[in-house]
Amino acid sequence: MPKRKSGFLGDSSAIQPPSQIRKMATQPTTTTIELTAKETQLKDLLLDTARYIDDSGEVGEPVVLRWAGGWVRDKLLGVESHDIDTAINVMTGEAFALKIRELCDHTETIDKHQIAESDIGNLHKIARNPDKSKHLETTTVKLFGYDVDFVNLRKETYSEDSRNPQVEFGTAEEDALRRDATVNALFYNLNTGKVEDFTTGLADIQLRLIRTPLEPLQTFMDDPLRVLRLVRFASRLEFTVDLAVQEVMSDRRVLDALRLKISRERVGVEVEKMLKGKHPHTSLEYIDNFGLYHTIFTDPSRPTIPTPNITNWKIAYDCLESLRQNKTPGSIYDILVRSDEAAYYAWVLTAICPWQTVEAPPHTGKGKPLPPFGALIVREGIKATHKLCDLAAASHNNRAEIMSLKTAVSQNAPFLGERDRFGMAIRRWDARVGHWRLQILNALLVEAMEVLATGSTTPDKNDEFLRGWQLFLDHLQELDVTEAPLLKRLIDGTRLAKALDLKPGIWMAQALEVCVAWQLRHPEATDPAGAIEEVKSKRAELGILGE
């Protein structure tokens, strides 16, 4: 067998090309799929590029192209996908993509494939990044509206002391076996027009089953992040996870490797994809059922922090899902979750509900105290944004006041008509990070875990519990204070200081809050005179000196 010409393989140091192309050990199971007109147009251009390379004699073996992974899976499931991974048998992705550009410089190619100016985008090389599970550089080109990644078929070999594999050229079978799930290990061979299955991917799609190409322990120990990837795919596709795979997911060796060897940024990316997907409830349910909670929602750098009790966590995520499914105009979910961003934040807050009742020990010594545990887990456990961390902290810090006002409404307290009491509370909750509605939702879910304990719930008890929160939210709307954070002041600090004949000072912030509270009590007012008098009457309380 002739050797390949290594000069055409590109200069990626991540690849160690073998001296000869290995033949596949087994013949794959096959089937066919029907391509759209655009997919056919793309296929024809890629095959012409392969023939162009073959005819040049630069590579000793015929170029074989395969579309791989998610596109094949989605195509078989009838799901449209615009991201296509193209695996090449004898050259790097960058080298092949450059040949596409070279071929498309020919007028006859443009005419044959009816290529418009916008059909061929720029070539982008994505460098290898082992810390983000990117073990080989890829090249991406926009072709006929598809984002097409080009990369060579590869084999990955892991050593016990490193989670970064040695990567080399491989066969299609070796490439399939290195993948996380059988349903992601399918190829569509452009040269033969057939789907190739070197594992059990075709059967598992029919069974709607997630399992690993290799023995699960090896798959997960090679790259522990695959545990979370399989949870994400199972929930996204609404597939069942194979029982043998479930058992290994909860193996202590796998959990330790996931907690200690995988960066929390990578963990956070997977969690974010789960909770922004169509089935976040299923993702949390899998995390719960497979014993993954304490490995994901933790701070590995602080092994001495307490472990939250997750016995009743299911109540929280089931409750949010029930609220979402039963959304109607004016319902709890309709009032509290008002955007896609808010929906994602709601699921993150649901994930940390078990942490929200864990109180940190008193701060002693020097240095800045730690935030509430829930915020710490969001910050360090899944490396979420500062905004989400602040929201988790605010949800913890404001929960007592939220519960107090909710209880007051339920008990028909005498101050229920005090619009300023409720409006100013909402403004406080919203002041730093916004999303006061989600803070109320978090308080609801935490209380649900406490009140609706497993084994003691009944439909009537559930309904009574939710009626109490609906009553609270209805009361806020009846008082017309839900937009209190957006209330425009009738008077600003400069005018107030002038009206009081005072210089601006530390007194001003509290004095302006007094003015806002007065406005809430007098919603029809347009003249700030009454607010100014309110401030004058509270001079001593506000620390304002002089006349």
Side-chain angles (χ1 to χ4, degrees), residues 14-54:
I15 300 295
Q16 298 184 11
S19 59
Q20 292 184 328
I21 299 296
R22 293 189 293 278
K23 297 295 184 182
M24 291 181 290
T26 59
Q27 292 302 309
T29 302
T30 62
T31 188
T32 59
I33 53 179
E34 185 175 344
L35 302 182
T36 66
K38 277 291 183 183
E39 289 165 343
T40 300
Q41 186 181 20
L42 174 61
K43 174 186 174 182
D44 290 345
L45 175 61
L46 298 185
L47 287 176
D48 269 5
T49 304
R51 283 189 285 269
Y52 176 68
I53 295 167
D54 290 343

Side-chain angles (χ1 to χ4, degrees), residues 217-236:
L217 184 61
Q218 179 180 342
T219 296
F220 295 146
M221 293 304 289
D222 283 349
D223 186 352
L225 190 69
R226 289 169 175 163
V227 171
L228 300 189
R229 285 176 56 82
L230 294 198
V231 169
R232 175 164 60 87
F233 282 119
S235 59
R236 172 187 161 189

